[in-house]
Amino acid sequence: MTRGFSIGDVSIGGRVLTAPMTGVSDLPFRRAASKLGAPYVATEMVACEMLAAGRPDVVRRAAVGEGLPLMVVQLVGRQAHWIAKGAAMAQAAGAEIIDLNMGCPAKEVTGGLSGSALMRDLDLAEQLIHACIGATTRPVTLKMRLGWDDASRNAPALAARAQAAGIAAITVHGRTRQQFYKGAVDWRAVGEVKRAVRIPVIVNGDVTDAPSARAALAQSGADALMIGRGAYGRPWIAAALDRALRDGGAIVEPDIGERLAIALDHFHDSLRFYGDTLGLKIFRKHLGWYIEHAPWPLGADARRAAKSRLCRLIEPREVEAALIDLWSRNELKAAA
Protein backbone atom coordinates (compact mmCIF):
# COMPACT_ATOMS: atom_id res chain seq x y z
CA MET A 1 0.00 0.00 0.00
CA THR A 2 1.51 3.32 -1.07
CA ARG A 3 1.67 6.27 1.27
CA GLY A 4 -0.81 9.07 0.72
CA PHE A 5 -3.03 10.32 -2.09
CA SER A 6 -4.56 13.61 -3.19
CA ILE A 7 -7.99 15.18 -2.88
CA GLY A 8 -8.05 17.97 -5.43
CA ASP A 9 -4.96 20.08 -4.76
CA VAL A 10 -4.57 18.76 -1.20
CA SER A 11 -2.07 16.00 -0.45
CA ILE A 12 -3.17 13.55 2.25
CA GLY A 13 -0.26 12.03 4.15
CA GLY A 14 -1.79 8.58 4.50
CA ARG A 15 -4.62 6.37 3.31
CA VAL A 16 -6.46 5.93 6.62
CA LEU A 17 -8.79 8.86 7.32
CA THR A 18 -10.63 9.61 10.56
CA ALA A 19 -14.35 10.18 10.04
CA PRO A 20 -16.40 13.21 11.02
CA MET A 21 -18.31 12.07 14.12
CA THR A 22 -20.92 14.14 15.90
CA GLY A 23 -20.14 14.39 19.59
CA VAL A 24 -16.72 12.81 19.06
CA SER A 25 -14.43 14.60 16.58
CA ASP A 26 -14.31 17.96 18.34
CA LEU A 27 -11.13 20.02 18.33
CA PRO A 28 -9.53 18.28 21.37
CA PHE A 29 -10.11 14.85 19.77
CA ARG A 30 -8.79 16.06 16.41
CA ARG A 31 -5.68 17.44 18.07
CA ALA A 32 -5.14 14.20 19.98
CA ALA A 33 -5.43 12.10 16.82
CA SER A 34 -3.23 14.50 14.84
CA LYS A 35 -0.48 14.44 17.47
CA LEU A 36 -0.48 10.66 17.14
CA GLY A 37 -0.01 10.83 13.37
CA ALA A 38 -3.52 10.87 11.88
CA PRO A 39 -3.21 12.69 8.53
CA TYR A 40 -6.89 13.59 8.18
CA VAL A 41 -9.45 14.18 10.93
CA ALA A 42 -12.72 15.91 10.01
CA THR A 43 -14.85 18.12 12.24
CA GLU A 44 -18.14 17.08 13.69
CA MET A 45 -21.08 17.52 11.32
CA VAL A 46 -21.85 21.26 11.10
CA ALA A 47 -25.37 22.44 10.28
CA CYS A 48 -24.96 25.30 7.76
CA GLU A 49 -27.95 27.37 8.83
CA MET A 50 -27.00 27.22 12.51
CA LEU A 51 -23.36 28.01 11.69
CA ALA A 52 -24.45 31.10 9.76
CA ALA A 53 -26.64 32.12 12.72
CA GLY A 54 -23.61 31.91 15.01
CA ARG A 55 -25.05 29.32 17.41
CA PRO A 56 -22.19 28.82 19.89
CA ASP A 57 -22.20 25.02 20.04
CA VAL A 58 -22.26 24.77 16.24
CA VAL A 59 -19.45 27.31 15.87
CA ARG A 60 -17.39 25.20 18.30
CA ARG A 61 -17.90 22.16 16.09
CA ALA A 62 -16.20 23.97 13.21
CA ALA A 63 -13.39 25.28 15.43
CA VAL A 64 -9.99 25.67 13.82
CA GLY A 65 -6.97 25.21 16.04
CA GLU A 66 -3.22 24.81 15.96
CA GLY A 67 -1.64 21.38 15.77
CA LEU A 68 -3.73 20.02 12.89
CA PRO A 69 -2.04 18.86 9.68
CA LEU A 70 -5.24 19.45 7.74
CA MET A 71 -8.51 21.30 8.36
CA VAL A 72 -11.57 19.45 7.07
CA VAL A 73 -15.05 20.83 7.82
CA GLN A 74 -18.12 18.67 7.24
CA LEU A 75 -21.36 20.49 6.38
CA VAL A 76 -24.96 19.33 6.39
CA GLY A 77 -28.10 21.04 5.14
CA ARG A 78 -30.96 20.95 2.66
CA GLN A 79 -31.18 24.47 1.29
CA ALA A 80 -28.73 25.62 -1.37
CA HIS A 81 -28.24 29.15 -0.04
CA TRP A 82 -27.36 27.86 3.44
CA ILE A 83 -25.00 25.26 1.99
CA ALA A 84 -23.28 28.01 0.01
CA LYS A 85 -23.09 30.26 3.08
CA GLY A 86 -21.66 27.43 5.17
CA ALA A 87 -19.03 26.60 2.54
CA ALA A 88 -17.93 30.22 2.30
CA MET A 89 -17.71 30.52 6.08
CA ALA A 90 -15.77 27.26 6.34
CA GLN A 91 -13.22 28.44 3.78
CA ALA A 92 -12.90 31.82 5.49
CA ALA A 93 -12.22 29.99 8.78
CA GLY A 94 -9.37 28.04 7.21
CA ALA A 95 -10.93 24.85 5.84
CA GLU A 96 -8.69 23.14 3.30
CA ILE A 97 -11.33 20.56 2.37
CA ILE A 98 -15.11 20.85 2.70
CA ASP A 99 -17.10 17.64 3.05
CA LEU A 100 -20.84 17.41 2.33
CA ASN A 101 -22.83 14.98 4.44
CA MET A 102 -25.40 12.92 2.56
CA GLY A 103 -24.94 9.83 4.67
CA CYS A 104 -25.95 10.56 8.27
CA PRO A 105 -28.75 8.13 9.25
CA ALA A 106 -29.83 9.86 12.48
CA LYS A 107 -33.55 10.51 12.69
CA GLU A 108 -33.09 14.11 13.81
CA VAL A 109 -31.11 14.71 10.60
CA THR A 110 -33.13 12.68 8.10
CA GLY A 111 -36.33 13.97 9.72
CA GLY A 112 -35.22 17.43 8.55
CA LEU A 113 -34.70 15.93 5.09
CA SER A 114 -30.91 16.23 5.33
CA GLY A 115 -28.10 13.68 5.56
CA SER A 116 -28.93 10.34 3.96
CA ALA A 117 -32.49 11.53 3.24
CA LEU A 118 -30.97 13.39 0.28
CA MET A 119 -30.28 10.04 -1.37
CA ARG A 120 -34.04 9.91 -1.97
CA ASP A 121 -33.87 13.08 -4.09
CA LEU A 122 -30.82 13.06 -6.36
CA ASP A 123 -31.90 16.22 -8.17
CA LEU A 124 -31.85 18.17 -4.91
CA ALA A 125 -28.62 16.47 -3.86
CA GLU A 126 -27.01 17.62 -7.09
CA GLN A 127 -28.27 21.19 -6.59
CA LEU A 128 -26.67 21.28 -3.13
CA ILE A 129 -23.39 19.94 -4.51
CA HIS A 130 -23.34 22.69 -7.15
CA ALA A 131 -24.14 25.33 -4.50
CA CYS A 132 -21.29 24.18 -2.28
CA ILE A 133 -18.73 23.95 -5.08
CA GLY A 134 -19.79 27.34 -6.42
CA ALA A 135 -19.22 29.03 -3.07
CA THR A 136 -15.66 27.89 -2.42
CA THR A 137 -12.33 27.46 -4.14
CA ARG A 138 -11.41 24.54 -1.88
CA PRO A 139 -11.93 20.87 -2.86
CA VAL A 140 -15.39 19.59 -1.94
CA THR A 141 -15.93 15.94 -1.05
CA LEU A 142 -19.09 13.93 -0.48
CA LYS A 143 -19.95 11.33 2.15
CA MET A 144 -22.86 8.98 1.46
CA ARG A 145 -24.31 5.54 2.06
CA LEU A 146 -25.26 2.81 -0.40
CA GLY A 147 -28.76 4.28 -0.60
CA TRP A 148 -31.86 4.81 1.50
CA ASP A 149 -32.77 1.12 1.62
CA ASP A 150 -32.07 -2.12 -0.24
CA ALA A 151 -34.69 -1.24 -2.86
CA SER A 152 -32.89 1.99 -3.75
CA ARG A 153 -29.15 1.44 -3.71
CA ASN A 154 -28.35 4.47 -5.85
CA ALA A 155 -24.87 5.37 -4.59
CA PRO A 156 -23.23 4.84 -8.04
CA ALA A 157 -25.77 7.19 -9.66
CA LEU A 158 -25.23 9.91 -7.04
CA ALA A 159 -21.46 9.45 -7.28
CA ALA A 160 -21.53 9.91 -11.07
CA ARG A 161 -23.58 13.10 -10.72
CA ALA A 162 -21.25 14.35 -7.99
CA GLN A 163 -18.17 13.76 -10.10
CA ALA A 164 -19.73 15.59 -13.06
CA ALA A 165 -20.51 18.53 -10.75
CA GLY A 166 -16.90 18.77 -9.58
CA ILE A 167 -16.75 16.72 -6.37
CA ALA A 168 -13.10 15.82 -5.63
CA ALA A 169 -13.56 12.55 -3.70
CA ILE A 170 -16.35 10.35 -2.34
CA THR A 171 -16.63 8.38 0.90
CA VAL A 172 -19.15 5.53 1.02
CA HIS A 173 -20.36 3.78 4.16
CA GLY A 174 -21.20 0.24 3.10
CA ARG A 175 -24.73 0.18 4.51
CA THR A 176 -28.07 1.73 3.60
CA ARG A 177 -29.70 4.34 5.77
CA GLN A 178 -32.32 1.87 6.94
CA GLN A 179 -29.61 -0.41 8.27
CA PHE A 180 -28.19 2.37 10.47
CA TYR A 181 -25.17 0.50 11.89
CA LYS A 182 -26.75 -2.94 12.04
CA GLY A 183 -26.32 -5.95 9.81
CA ALA A 184 -23.37 -6.82 7.65
CA VAL A 185 -21.44 -4.02 5.98
CA ASP A 186 -21.19 -4.49 2.20
CA TRP A 187 -17.73 -3.37 1.10
CA ARG A 188 -18.20 -5.04 -2.31
CA ALA A 189 -21.08 -2.67 -3.06
CA VAL A 190 -18.69 0.24 -2.51
CA GLY A 191 -16.79 -1.20 -5.46
CA GLU A 192 -19.76 -0.31 -7.68
CA VAL A 193 -19.20 3.33 -6.78
CA LYS A 194 -15.48 2.99 -7.48
CA ARG A 195 -16.24 1.64 -10.94
CA ALA A 196 -18.69 4.49 -11.64
CA VAL A 197 -16.19 7.33 -11.12
CA ARG A 198 -12.57 8.32 -11.73
CA ILE A 199 -12.08 10.41 -8.56
CA PRO A 200 -10.80 8.86 -5.30
CA VAL A 201 -13.28 6.65 -3.44
CA ILE A 202 -12.91 6.04 0.30
CA VAL A 203 -14.52 2.98 1.90
CA ASN A 204 -16.09 3.30 5.36
CA GLY A 205 -17.88 1.01 7.79
CA ASP A 206 -16.78 -1.58 10.39
CA VAL A 207 -13.06 -1.03 9.90
CA THR A 208 -11.48 -1.64 13.31
CA ASP A 209 -8.20 -3.47 12.73
CA ALA A 210 -5.71 -4.53 10.07
CA PRO A 211 -7.65 -7.61 8.83
CA SER A 212 -10.91 -5.65 8.40
CA ALA A 213 -9.02 -2.80 6.73
CA ARG A 214 -7.36 -5.14 4.24
CA ALA A 215 -10.68 -6.83 3.51
CA ALA A 216 -12.48 -3.51 3.00
CA LEU A 217 -9.83 -2.29 0.56
CA ALA A 218 -9.65 -5.59 -1.32
CA GLN A 219 -13.41 -6.00 -1.67
CA SER A 220 -14.13 -2.38 -2.61
CA GLY A 221 -11.06 -1.52 -4.65
CA ALA A 222 -11.17 1.84 -2.87
CA ASP A 223 -8.27 4.29 -2.86
CA ALA A 224 -8.34 4.77 0.91
CA LEU A 225 -10.43 3.95 3.93
CA MET A 226 -12.14 5.91 6.68
CA ILE A 227 -12.40 4.76 10.28
CA GLY A 228 -15.22 6.02 12.50
CA ARG A 229 -16.47 4.09 15.54
CA GLY A 230 -13.22 2.11 15.56
CA ALA A 231 -11.49 5.30 16.74
CA TYR A 232 -13.57 5.57 19.93
CA GLY A 233 -11.05 5.57 22.77
CA ARG A 234 -8.25 4.97 20.24
CA PRO A 235 -7.24 8.30 18.67
CA TRP A 236 -3.99 6.64 17.57
CA ILE A 237 -5.77 4.06 15.41
CA ALA A 238 -5.62 5.83 12.02
CA ALA A 239 -1.85 6.29 12.16
CA ALA A 240 -1.27 2.80 13.58
CA LEU A 241 -3.50 1.20 10.96
CA ASP A 242 -1.81 3.13 8.15
CA ARG A 243 1.58 1.80 9.31
CA ALA A 244 0.23 -1.74 9.53
CA LEU A 245 -1.13 -1.59 5.99
CA ARG A 246 2.17 -0.28 4.61
CA ASP A 247 4.30 -2.77 6.55
CA GLY A 248 2.01 -5.78 6.09
CA GLY A 249 1.76 -6.48 9.80
CA ALA A 250 -0.68 -6.01 12.68
CA ILE A 251 -1.59 -2.80 14.47
CA VAL A 252 0.83 -1.88 17.25
CA GLU A 253 -1.23 -0.49 20.12
CA PRO A 254 0.27 1.93 22.67
CA ASP A 255 1.46 0.40 25.93
CA ILE A 256 -0.09 1.15 29.31
CA GLY A 257 2.00 4.23 30.05
CA GLU A 258 1.52 5.66 26.58
CA ARG A 259 -2.26 5.25 26.80
CA LEU A 260 -2.36 7.10 30.11
CA ALA A 261 -0.37 9.99 28.67
CA ILE A 262 -2.69 10.15 25.63
CA ALA A 263 -5.84 10.09 27.77
CA LEU A 264 -4.55 12.76 30.16
CA ASP A 265 -3.39 15.04 27.35
CA HIS A 266 -6.78 14.71 25.66
CA PHE A 267 -8.54 15.41 28.99
CA HIS A 268 -6.47 18.52 29.70
CA ASP A 269 -7.11 19.86 26.20
CA SER A 270 -10.86 19.31 26.65
CA LEU A 271 -10.77 21.31 29.90
CA ARG A 272 -8.84 24.14 28.24
CA PHE A 273 -11.13 24.26 25.23
CA TYR A 274 -14.51 24.07 26.99
CA GLY A 275 -13.73 25.10 30.57
CA ASP A 276 -13.70 22.69 33.51
CA THR A 277 -17.44 22.02 33.87
CA LEU A 278 -18.37 21.53 30.23
CA GLY A 279 -14.98 20.03 29.40
CA LEU A 280 -15.41 17.26 31.95
CA LYS A 281 -19.00 16.62 30.87
CA ILE A 282 -18.02 16.27 27.21
CA PHE A 283 -14.90 14.23 27.96
CA ARG A 284 -16.78 11.56 29.95
CA LYS A 285 -17.69 9.64 26.78
CA HIS A 286 -14.02 9.59 25.77
CA LEU A 287 -13.01 8.58 29.30
CA GLY A 288 -15.44 5.66 29.13
CA TRP A 289 -14.08 4.57 25.75
CA TYR A 290 -10.45 4.77 26.92
CA ILE A 291 -11.35 2.39 29.75
CA GLU A 292 -13.57 0.12 27.64
CA HIS A 293 -10.88 -0.41 25.02
CA ALA A 294 -8.01 -0.90 27.45
CA PRO A 295 -6.81 -4.49 28.04
CA TRP A 296 -7.20 -3.88 31.75
CA PRO A 297 -8.70 -4.34 34.25
CA LEU A 298 -9.06 -7.96 33.21
CA GLY A 299 -12.66 -8.81 32.39
CA ALA A 300 -15.41 -6.73 30.85
CA ASP A 301 -17.30 -6.48 34.14
CA ALA A 302 -14.30 -4.96 35.91
CA ARG A 303 -13.81 -2.46 33.09
CA ARG A 304 -17.48 -1.46 33.21
CA ALA A 305 -17.25 -0.97 36.98
CA ALA A 306 -14.14 1.20 36.61
CA LYS A 307 -15.81 3.21 33.86
CA SER A 308 -18.94 3.74 35.96
CA ARG A 309 -16.92 4.85 38.98
CA LEU A 310 -14.71 7.33 37.12
CA CYS A 311 -17.54 8.78 35.03
CA ARG A 312 -19.49 9.68 38.19
CA LEU A 313 -16.72 11.93 39.51
CA ILE A 314 -17.53 15.62 39.27
CA GLU A 315 -14.19 17.35 39.88
CA PRO A 316 -11.47 17.32 37.20
CA ARG A 317 -8.75 16.74 39.82
CA GLU A 318 -10.62 13.68 41.09
CA VAL A 319 -10.94 12.28 37.58
CA GLU A 320 -7.25 12.76 36.85
CA ALA A 321 -6.18 11.17 40.15
CA ALA A 322 -8.54 8.20 39.69
CA LEU A 323 -7.39 7.66 36.11
CA ILE A 324 -3.72 7.70 37.13
CA ASP A 325 -4.47 5.33 40.01
CA LEU A 326 -6.38 2.91 37.74
CA TRP A 327 -3.60 2.88 35.15
CA SER A 328 -0.79 2.67 37.74
CA ARG A 329 -2.32 -0.30 39.53
CA ASN A 330 -2.75 -2.20 36.30
CA GLU A 331 0.72 -1.22 35.07
CA LEU A 332 2.20 -2.76 38.20
CA LYS A 333 0.17 -5.94 37.62
CA ALA A 334 1.35 -6.12 34.01
CA ALA A 335 4.95 -5.76 35.09
CA ALA A 336 4.65 -8.42 37.83
Side-chain angles (χ1 to χ4, degrees):
M1 184 178 180
T2 58
R3 183 180 182 87
F5 71 113
S6 295
I7 294 177
D9 62 357
V10 179
S11 295
I12 311 298
R15 293 184 181 267
V16 182
L17 286 56
T18 307
M21 294 174 281
T22 298
V24 179
S25 58
D26 60 2
L27 183 57
F29 174 87
R30 284 182 277 132
R31 279 199 283 237
S34 297
K35 287 178 185 178
L36 294 163
Y40 173 117
V41 190
T43 67
E44 302 176 76
M45 183 175 64
V46 176
C48 293
E49 185 173 355
M50 295 176 187
L51 176 64
R55 206 175 93 175
D57 61 322
V58 177
V59 172
R60 277 199 304 266
R61 291 176 188 173
V64 177
E66 296 180 357
L68 301 177
L70 183 66
M71 182 62 190
V72 184
V73 175
Q74 189 187 67
L75 301 177
V76 67
R78 184 176 174 81
Q79 294 179 291
H81 67 283
W82 289 124
I83 289 285
K85 180 69 172 176
M89 291 181 70
Q91 177 171 337
E96 295 164 82
I97 294 174
I98 296 170
D99 185 53
L100 274 179
N101 185 308
M102 296 189 185
C104 180
K107 291 181 179 178
E108 58 267 30
V109 176
T110 60
L113 303 179
S114 296
S116 57
L118 289 166
M119 298 196 75
R120 304 176 78 177
D121 188 344
L122 297 194
D123 289 340
L124 176 57
E126 187 175 349
Q127 290 175 26
L128 299 182
I129 291 168
H130 279 292
C132 188
I133 291 172
T136 178
T137 60
R138 303 312 307 139
V140 178
T141 59
L142 180 65
K143 193 168 190 292
M144 65 171 79
R145 287 195 163 223
L146 297 178
W148 180 258
D149 55 25
D150 281 331
S152 56
R153 289 193 171 206
N154 56 359
L158 177 55
R161 288 193 184 202
Q163 177 181 258
I167 284 289
I170 294 170
T171 301
V172 187
H173 182 104
R175 288 185 176 87
T176 66
R177 184 272 175 184
Q178 295 296 65
Q179 285 182 276
F180 284 84
Y181 297 99
K182 298 178 181 178
V185 66
D186 190 349
W187 295 318
R188 293 188 188 280
V190 179
E192 298 175 19
V193 176
K194 175 61 182 171
R195 290 187 290 274
V197 296
R198 298 177 305 280
I199 55 178
V201 172
I202 301 149
V203 62
N204 172 233
D206 287 9
V207 175
T208 58
D209 53 21
S212 60
R214 292 189 179 101
L217 289 169
Q219 292 178 30
S220 66
D223 301 278
L225 58 85
M226 181 173 282
I227 189 163
R229 291 171 295 157
Y232 289 4
R234 302 161 79 201
W236 56 82
I237 191 63
L241 183 52
D242 198 56
R243 287 191 294 270
L245 291 174
R246 292 199 313 272
D247 299 343
I251 291 175
V252 178
E253 302 272 2
D255 63 25
I256 293 177
E258 290 170 331
R259 290 190 191 215
L260 175 61
I262 290 166
L264 287 175
D265 187 53
H266 186 178
F267 180 42
H268 295 154
D269 198 13
S270 184
L271 297 179
R272 286 191 297 268
F273 183 63
Y274 294 106
D276 283 3
T277 301
L278 183 57
L280 174 55
K281 180 180 178 181
I282 288 175
F283 186 76
R284 282 194 179 108
K285 66 171 76 70
H286 296 283
L287 175 62
W289 290 326
Y290 279 122
I291 296 170
E292 284 178 9
H293 290 288
W296 63 87
L298 293 177
D301 288 344
R303 283 197 295 276
R304 279 194 293 270
K307 170 186 170 181
S308 177
R309 179 170 57 84
L310 267 68
C311 287
R312 287 199 302 268
L313 299 174
I314 59 174
E315 292 292 335
R317 290 188 299 274
E318 294 177 327
V319 173
E320 181 172 349
L323 188 60
I324 292 171
D325 179 64
L326 175 68
W327 249 251
S328 299
R329 284 187 283 112
N330 285 282
E331 190 170 22
L332 288 173
K333 289 178 183 178

